[in-house]
Amino acid sequence: MTEPTAIDPDVPPSGPGCVECLAADGWWVHLRRCAHCGHIGCCDTSPSQHATKHAGATGHPLVASYEPGEDWFYDYRDQQFYEGPVLAPPRAHPADQPIPGPSGKVPPNWQELLN
Ligand SMILES: [Zn+2]
Ligand SMILES: [Zn+2]
């Protein structure tokens, strides 16, 4: 976590759920927030792993958890967890959003579909 430009605490999150999953009727387990541009993507346990794909496609190296009560950052470059600044609100997805989510999109056999 040596490059301050990797984190822009003033950028709000892109929305309540994974950008790509919402566009494609997909679903996720946990959500990650790009610390640079606010992109919300799904975690590596999720079927589509959009947070990691976003980091790979853009070079934005840091994500923050977008789960209620979690405040860690993760750096893809060294695969380490860090503490970081307080990002622009909201700091997590809505509390009534189920895990996995979003509501109505999770298949009954979701546990067989995890990475
Ligand atoms: Zn996704
Ligand atoms: Zn980004």
Side-chain angles (χ1 to χ4, degrees):
M1 195 123 83
T2 55
E3 298 161 43
T5 52
I7 300 179
D8 187 342
D10 297 326
V11 177
S14 59
C18 173
V19 174
E20 288 86 357
C21 284
L22 288 175
D25 275 352
W27 59 277
W28 56 78
V29 180
H30 291 126
L31 294 171
R32 307 292 178 242
R33 169 182 182 167
C34 176
H36 180 71
C37 73
H39 171 273
I40 299 299
C42 48
C43 72
D44 283 350
T45 305
S46 306
S48 298
Q49 306 179 313
H50 286 126
T52 296
K53 288 177 180 172
H54 172 79
T58 61
H60 300 163
L62 286 158
V63 287
S65 178
Y66 200 50
E67 296 299 316
E70 296 185 358
D71 59 3
W72 50 261
F73 288 73
Y74 178 79
D75 191 326
Y76 285 104
R77 294 166 297 188
D78 60 10
Q79 303 181 339
Q80 298 291 320
F81 291 90
Y82 292 95
E83 296 183 352
V86 175
L87 302 177
R91 300 199 59 205
H93 65 72
D96 61 357
Q97 184 183 93
I99 300 172
S103 183
K105 300 295 186 193
V106 181
N109 64 333
W110 65 271
Q111 286 173 307
E112 300 169 17
L113 304 172
L114 301 178
N115 279 300

